[in-house]
Amino acid sequence: MRAADLVVEGASQVVTVAAGRAGPARGRAAMNDLGVVEHGAVAIRGGKVVGVGPTDDVRRAFRAKRRLDADGRCVLPGFVDAHTHPVFARWRDDEFARRCRGESYEAILAAGGGILASAKALEGTPEGALVSHLEAVFDQVLLHGTTTLEAKSGYGLTHEAEVKSLSALREAARSAPLTVVPTFLGAHALPAAYANRRAAYVRLVTDVMIPDVAKRRLAVFCDVFCEVGAFTIRESAAILRAAKRHGLLGKIHADEFGDSGGARLAARMKAVSAEHLGGTGPAGIRALARAGVVPVLLPTTSIFLKLPKKADARAMVDAGCAVALASDFNPGSSPTANLSLVAALGCSILGLTPEEAITAITRNAAAAVGLSDRAGSIAVGRPADLVVVDAVSYVAVPYRLGTNLVRDVVRHGDVVVRDGRRHAG
Ligand SMILES: [Zn+2]
């Protein structure tokens, strides 16, 4: 018998999300293959998975120091949130209420609201306060089953405030039991001070901020908001080229409101992922599939902003894309970090199957953040990140529309959520 630190056993199902397969799941057949082990168990040693199989077999093969009885519940990989904006100083519930009463987003923006309001609030907030805010956010994220989180700056919009945002992220991530993938998003909006000097701001991003962020190793990715009203195709291309020169991987917010060519730019620039894509048409979808760019779809944002166009997820899957879903957690357009809700809307709004939605918040989301070999599946040799949900079948995750069924969370072999509460491990 081999020794294990922890055995999670007695699961109705262990959803491995096709463990052992390399890379993301592209297209319909792969995205519908979850690799389910019925009556399964997972053995963990040194923070890594050392065995997956039927509970009887795992019990016979491993002597466990500790056991976690899933008691007939379903076990899945820790969820991966591939797109969030958690570094903000205050919520924008006031704007939400105004929008509900009929004011338009544009009118609120013109009156100093939106991203620029977040930037103003962040400017006067000390780094320590941002760290405390992020620690609270990370607790919420973990309680919803997310063990890997992509996190963007982008409410700074000055060199100093962007560095402060990313430093706070690094500091908060140091002690939190989850994997944070930091993304520099200095090109989130044109700051008010540069309203008539677009080119000067783009140069500040490409020539000052990107080199400094890369030198301090504050980010893995660089993102840009490529959209009418934000940054043009040319500006976005310049920003992503500068990022590449300094060793940052590319992401693009593209085609949120219409087909502005953002998806094709993502393909041309060999970005790792392209996000939103509500307006992306057939040519853009073909380009994404050919270039192997991961489409990251954000259905909570579509609903929250009542966006007229939704991403054509079915066409993307059928074109052979490795579609991912993410929360877009942020104070303006998606104030939730609940990936089960995102998966539910992936099915009910975007037309994915339950299996595709689960793949989209695990294996394919891991590919979107460059961690295909480390997150998003339960496989021997990989970090042991998994969740136990209070249901017999994984279908409950997208079916129970926003109910948080996450009961236990194991991260790198430590139990960090137990019976729905944060646990010291
Ligand atoms: Zn976003």
Side-chain angles (χ1 to χ4, degrees):
M1 270 181 118
R2 295 164 62 199
D5 300 328
L6 175 68
V7 170
V8 181
E9 60 185 23
S12 55
Q13 305 174 321
V14 173
V15 178
T16 66
V17 194
R21 302 251 174 93
R26 299 181 199 282
R28 187 184 286 238
M31 282 193 70
N32 279 281
D33 177 11
L34 293 182
V36 176
V37 179
E38 304 289 341
H39 308 294
V42 183
I44 298 162
R45 186 178 163 92
K48 294 201 165 147
V49 174
V50 290
V52 189
T55 290
D56 289 346
D57 296 359
V58 171
R59 274 196 186 135
R60 265 196 297 275
F62 292 93
R63 192 179 342 98
K65 262 192 230 154
R66 285 191 303 152
R67 293 174 193 280
L68 178 67
D69 187 2
D71 199 17
R73 298 183 178 86
C74 178
V75 172
L76 297 115
F79 301 151
V80 179
D81 200 337
H83 183 135
T84 77
H85 305 254
V87 196
F88 55 87
R90 69 168 189 85
W91 294 95
R92 303 211 309 257
D93 45 324
D94 48 339
E95 287 180 19
F96 168 70
R98 283 162 64 188
R99 281 198 294 115
C100 291
R101 291 190 194 100
E103 265 187 79
S104 73
Y105 183 76
E106 289 77 9
I108 291 169
L109 202 62
I115 293 170
L116 298 183
S118 284
K120 200 167 175 195
L122 192 134
E123 196 180 2
T125 303
E127 188 178 320
L130 289 177
V131 173
S132 306
H133 156 79
L134 284 166
E135 285 167 349
V137 168
F138 291 169
D139 274 345
Q140 279 299 306
V141 162
L142 280 166
L143 289 168
H144 286 90
T146 298
T147 50
T148 301
L149 184 81
E150 188 267 3
K152 303 173 199 297
S153 67
Y155 293 120
L157 305 182
T158 65
H159 183 198
E160 192 190 356
E162 284 295 308
V163 166
K164 177 171 72 177
S165 299
L166 291 168
S167 302
L169 203 48
R170 176 151 75 188
E171 183 57 30
R174 215 191 295 272
S175 55
L178 81 173
T179 302
V180 175
V181 180
T183 296
F184 167 66
L185 179 57
H188 194 193
L190 191 66
Y194 285 84
N196 299 312
R197 297 185 294 141
R198 300 186 60 84
Y201 188 68
V202 173
R203 272 200 308 277
L204 178 66
V205 171
T206 56
D207 297 1
V208 180
M209 292 195 205
I210 286 174
D212 189 41
V213 163
K215 196 173 106 220
R216 296 180 196 224
R217 297 181 185 281
L218 283 170
V220 173
F221 282 92
C222 175
D223 196 346
V224 52
F225 203 147
C226 176
E227 198 70 54
V228 177
F231 294 90
T232 65
I233 294 279
R234 261 180 106 108
E235 291 163 347
S236 303
I239 287 162
L240 290 175
R241 269 198 303 270
K244 196 174 271 184
R245 272 201 303 278
H246 290 276
L248 300 178
L249 300 169
K251 286 183 174 290
I252 308 186
H253 280 63
D255 302 342
E256 181 174 357
F257 307 115
D259 193 342
S260 57
R264 277 165 287 167
L265 175 68
R268 217 165 47 239
M269 298 296 301
K270 298 261 182 292
V272 174
S273 66
E275 345 273 300
H276 285 294
L277 306 175
T280 306
I285 291 172
R286 278 196 303 275
L288 292 174
R290 258 200 311 272
V293 178
V294 178
V296 179
L297 311 182
L298 312 169
T300 48
T301 308
S302 304
I303 299 263
F304 200 74
L305 291 185
K306 302 178 198 158
L307 295 176
K309 289 191 169 184
K310 293 184 289 284
D312 195 346
R314 279 266 49 93
M316 291 175 192
V317 172
D318 293 340
C321 289
V323 170
L325 293 167
S327 74
D328 196 17
F329 174 71
N330 78 80
S333 59
S334 183
T336 179
N338 182 343
L339 276 181
S340 300
L341 172 62
V342 171
L345 297 179
C347 294
S348 62
I349 304 293
L350 300 181
L352 297 176
T353 65
E355 292 75 18
E356 288 166 346
I358 296 289
T359 299
I361 60 168
T362 54
R363 184 173 165 193
N364 285 359
V369 300
L371 294 178
S372 265
D373 56 341
R374 285 177 42 202
S377 65
I378 300 173
V380 170
R382 295 204 179 177
D385 294 353
L386 49 91
V387 299
V388 182
V389 296
D390 200 2
V392 174
S393 161
Y394 63 81
V395 177
V397 172
Y399 163 62
R400 294 279 299 277
L401 196 60
T403 311
N404 185 15
L405 297 170
V406 172
R407 188 182 159 94
D408 307 308
V409 178
V410 175
R411 194 264 179 172
H412 289 192
D414 294 325
V415 179
V416 297
V417 173
R418 187 87 179 92
D419 291 331
R421 286 165 195 261
R422 280 282 284 114
H423 185 260

